[in-house]
């Protein structure tokens, strides 16, 4: 009697119904439950973060009588009177004048910061000169100095120069690379660039100026965009600087205009103050939304090294 041995190399057919019934059945709901909980948690956290903005936008349509009685999100008697008051201006000064002053300061701060900080960063990262490390350490040390320590010396300097009640005290430092944070940010980007690019350009006869304009600046565009975003927002929201150096109301930016709405009468006009706050927030949000992808690229490329 002969026995037929099974060949292990030949696969044994398996009944698909038997395979489906023999093993434990996976439940799709259990598999997708962590993802659903994560989405719900993120949505709840987003709602908490965005609630103050939603409340401010909704409160801009509330009459002044509701601010003491209605703390809810929706106004009981919505009105556009707050925006009408804002567009009429303050003390004979149209509201667009305050927007224009803020725009001049913000755009000037962006231009000055990008030009001066990028040049200083290139010098610290690509040019070897005596005392460069000491100067770089001193520049980083200025980050530890609070702005309030420098107020009196800077005010005396600008007063002696006759620049009080002008925009120059608010813009001069931007064109002199006094923002150590932006210089340090660009230095880190430039140091991550391969030096072979500079050496190849130098073989072709390029100097530091041509290398800086044609090679370095295009490659550090994420750092330039990131610095532009922060410089714009900081200048747009600056209150103490204009309060110190500007005396004429027609030169006030929006942060000082908000203060005028509260001080022009014995009682604060909460509705108009919140309405102009909403209008002042819109340019910053638009600026950030337009350039946010460059900000993300700048953070993403921090860990890359050519």
């Amino acid at each position: 009697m002969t026995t037929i041995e099974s060949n292990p190399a030949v696969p044994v057919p398996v009944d698909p119904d038997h395979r489906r019934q023999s093993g434990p059945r996976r439940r799709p709901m259990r598999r997708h439950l962590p993802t659903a909980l994560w989405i719900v948690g993120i949505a709840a956290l987003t709602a908490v973060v965005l609630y103050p903005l939603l409340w401010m936008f909704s409160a801009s349509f509330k009459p002044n009588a509701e601010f003491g009685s209605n703390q809810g999100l929706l106004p009981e008697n919505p009105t556009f009177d707050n925006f009408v008051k804002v567009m009429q201006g303050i003390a004979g000064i149209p509201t667009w004048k305050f927007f224009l002053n803020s725009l001049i300061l913000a755009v000037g701060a962006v231009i000055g910061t990008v030009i001066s900080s990028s040049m200083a960063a290139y010098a610290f990262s690509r040019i070897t000169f005596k005392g460069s490390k000491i100067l770089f350490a001193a520049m980083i040390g200025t980050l530890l100095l609070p702005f309030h320590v420098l107020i009196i010396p800077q005010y005396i300097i600008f007063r002696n120069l006759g620049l009080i009640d002008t925009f120059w005290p608010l813009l001069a430092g931007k064109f002199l690379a006094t923002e150590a944070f932006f210089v340090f940010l660009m230095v880190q980007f430039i140091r991550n660039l391969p030096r072979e690019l500079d050496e190849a350009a130098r073989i072709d006869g390029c100097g530091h100026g041509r290398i800086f304009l044609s090679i370095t600046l295009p490659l550090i565009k994420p750092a330039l965009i990131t610095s532009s975003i922060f410089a714009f927002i900081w200048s747009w929201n600056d209150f103490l600087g204009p309060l110190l150096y500007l005396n004429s109301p027609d030169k006030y930016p929006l942060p000082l205009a908000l203060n005028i709405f509260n001080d022009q009468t014995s009682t604060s006009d909460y509705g108009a103050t919140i309405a102009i706050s909403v209008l002042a927030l819109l340019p910053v949000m638009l600026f950030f939304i337009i350039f946010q992808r460059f900000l993300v690229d700048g953070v993403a490329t921090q860990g890359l090294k050519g």
Side-chain angles (χ1 to χ4, degrees), residues 3-13:
T3 59
I4 302 174
E5 296 181 359
S6 60
N7 188 2
V10 178
V12 178

Side-chain angles (χ1 to χ4, degrees), residues 2 7 36-37 57 59 97 108 110 119 127 135 153 161 179 183 208 235 251 262 264 280 302:
T2 53
N7 188 2
L37 294 177
F57 178 77
K97 182 66 173 177
V110 170
M119 294 176 64
I127 301 176
L135 291 176
L161 294 175
E179 299 288 347
V183 177
H208 287 294
S235 178
K251 297 179 182 178
N262 290 328
Q264 62 179 345
Q302 275 292 315

Side-chain angles (χ1 to χ4, degrees), residues 35 76 127 161 225 231:
T35 303
E76 297 177 356
I127 301 176
L161 294 175
I225 298 297

Side-chain angles (χ1 to χ4, degrees), residues 76-98:
E76 297 177 356
N77 301 308
T79 178
F80 287 92
D81 293 341
N82 298 326
F83 291 96
V84 173
K85 293 178 184 178
V86 168
M87 299 311 298
Q88 289 176 352
I90 312 170
I93 304 173
T95 304
W96 65 264
K97 182 66 173 177
F98 301 116

Side-chain angles (χ1 to χ4, degrees), residues 177-198:
T178 58
E179 299 288 347
F181 171 77
F182 299 125
V183 177
F184 177 75
L185 176 66
M186 296 183 190
V187 165
Q188 296 303 110
F189 264 82
I190 297 176
R191 284 179 176 175
N192 287 334
L193 300 179
R195 288 185 175 270
E196 289 78 6
L197 297 175
D198 297 357

Side-chain angles (χ1 to χ4, degrees), residues 31-101:
R31 183 173 55 187
H32 297 294
L33 184 59
T35 303
L37 294 177
W38 178 260
I39 294 176
V40 171
I42 292 298
L45 183 61
T46 303
V48 172
V49 173
L50 294 181
Y51 181 80
L53 294 177
L54 296 176
W55 186 91
M56 184 176 67
F57 178 77
S58 176
S60 64
F61 297 98
K62 292 181 180 180
N64 287 327
E66 286 192 24
F67 281 94
S69 59
N70 180 18
Q71 285 81 29
L73 181 62
L74 300 178
E76 297 177 356
N77 301 308
T79 178
F80 287 92
D81 293 341
N82 298 326
F83 291 96
V84 173
K85 293 178 184 178
V86 168
M87 299 311 298
Q88 289 176 352
I90 312 170
I93 304 173
T95 304
W96 65 264
K97 182 66 173 177
F98 301 116
F99 274 89
L100 180 60
N101 295 335

